[in-house]
Amino acid sequence: MIEVEAYRLFAEKAALHRPITAVDAPDAWYLKRGLVAEALGVLVGCELVAARRIGKLLLLSTRGADGTDGPVLGLRFGMSGRLVVDGAAGVAELRHSSNRALASYDRFGLAFADGGHLRVRDPRRLGGVELDPPETALGHDAAAVTVGQLAKALSTSKAPLKARLMDQARLAGVGNLIADEVLWRAGLAPARPAGGLSSAELRRLHRHLRATVAQLGSRGGSHMGDLMAERRPGGVCPRDGHALIRATVGGRTTWWCPAHQT
């Protein structure tokens, strides 16, 4: 979500109010929820008028030449996708992807009347394109969630805490790296039942969630956490020097400190 917020700001600056003259969708697999390339022709003649974000989903609102609202273009980037406008990327480098500017990595594109282009460049094909994505299927955005909303997302659940935090239908935006960072900062074990937090633990989790998202945004990426360098065999806790444990929680590789995460 940190990178997608960067793409939202980039799109606002570089891609709005430019009439669309063509759509390029060379990778049918990249089109989601039954979308086909021919249906994207509805975007021709429109312009992008607003950029929003819910969790990891970038939402680009469109408007037709006659002033009527067009479809909402939904873009997902996974760990390897980047938004590129007029040859410049919204995030210069990604840690888990090739950063080469190869045309074969371009999965989707818009051509503008002024000769410019918007492209989604994704070497690993982990993202996707949708029209009018179901926004209500997503939980509250992690950057703005209140303590009450977080409590509702976790309450009564016996699922592992980390898995529940990463459930996009409950809380939108938390990925694997952010989840480990937040739980490490909050001193909470990733595998404990999500619904078993005390009121004090819930408030602490909320505080660290909001602070971590804001701080990683200012640092420039979800991979910029304090725990990141120690997520490796032999890694130790930056807080207390205890050996970190590698586990699988919610189907994802997890690093945590058994000394202070309880």
Side-chain angles (χ1 to χ4, degrees):
M1 70 175 293
I2 304 301
E3 288 76 12
V4 179
E5 176 63 11
Y7 299 147
R8 183 191 70 81
L9 295 171
F10 183 51
E12 279 191 340
K13 178 181 178 181
L16 301 189
H17 308 296
R18 303 171 69 179
I20 298 167
T21 57
V23 180
D24 183 31
D27 188 345
W29 187 89
Y30 212 72
L31 307 181
K32 306 304 182 183
R33 293 198 310 116
L35 183 63
V36 295
E38 291 76 13
L40 289 165
V42 70
L43 296 172
V44 175
C46 293
E47 61 182 32
L48 306 177
V49 294
R52 299 178 290 120
R53 180 191 59 77
I54 302 177
K56 305 173 186 180
L57 175 64
L58 179 62
L59 297 159
L60 300 175
S61 300
T62 68
R63 183 175 300 149
D66 60 359
T68 59
D69 291 340
V72 175
L73 177 62
L75 301 178
R76 299 182 185 274
F77 299 88
M79 297 173 62
S80 61
R82 291 192 294 169
L83 185 70
V84 179
V85 180
D86 300 335
V91 172
E93 294 186 3
L94 294 179
R95 184 182 182 92
H96 299 286
S97 176
S98 169
N99 293 295
R100 293 183 295 170
L102 299 181
S104 60
Y105 292 162
D106 292 343
R107 310 299 175 185
F108 174 79
L110 301 175
F112 298 125
D114 59 14
H117 294 83
L118 176 151
R119 294 186 172 93
V120 176
R121 185 165 294 155
D122 188 353
R124 296 172 62 188
R125 303 170 78 208
L126 299 179
V129 176
E130 304 176 54
L131 285 184
D132 293 319
E135 300 178 31
T136 58
L138 295 171
H140 293 286
D141 187 86
V145 67
T146 67
V147 67
Q149 291 165 343
L150 182 61
K152 186 175 180 180
L154 302 179
S155 65
T156 73
S157 175
K158 296 181 180 179
L161 177 56
K162 177 179 177 177
R164 194 70 164 185
L165 288 176
M166 294 180 62
D167 182 346
Q168 301 303 300
R170 304 287 180 175
L171 184 67
V174 176
N176 195 43
L177 298 182
I178 291 179
D180 278 3
E181 181 75 17
V182 169
L183 293 174
W184 172 76
R185 292 186 183 196
L188 299 170
R192 63 182 293 182
L197 301 187
S198 68
S199 295
E201 289 173 328
L202 179 66
R203 290 193 299 271
R204 188 166 79 240
L205 175 61
H206 177 260
R207 182 172 69 253
H208 283 288
L209 173 63
R210 294 286 299 271
T212 299
V213 169
Q215 187 175 66
L216 295 185
S218 67
R219 290 181 181 179
S222 55
H223 63 288
M224 299 297 288
D226 298 336
L227 183 64
M228 186 66 199
E230 298 300 325
R231 288 173 52 90
R232 56 179 175 81
V236 299
C237 176
R239 177 178 295 180
D240 54 41
H242 198 92
L244 295 179
I245 290 178
R246 184 186 188 274
T248 300
V249 179
R252 301 300 300 272
T253 298
T254 302
W255 293 91
W256 67 289
C257 174
H260 84 271
Q261 289 179 251
T262 60

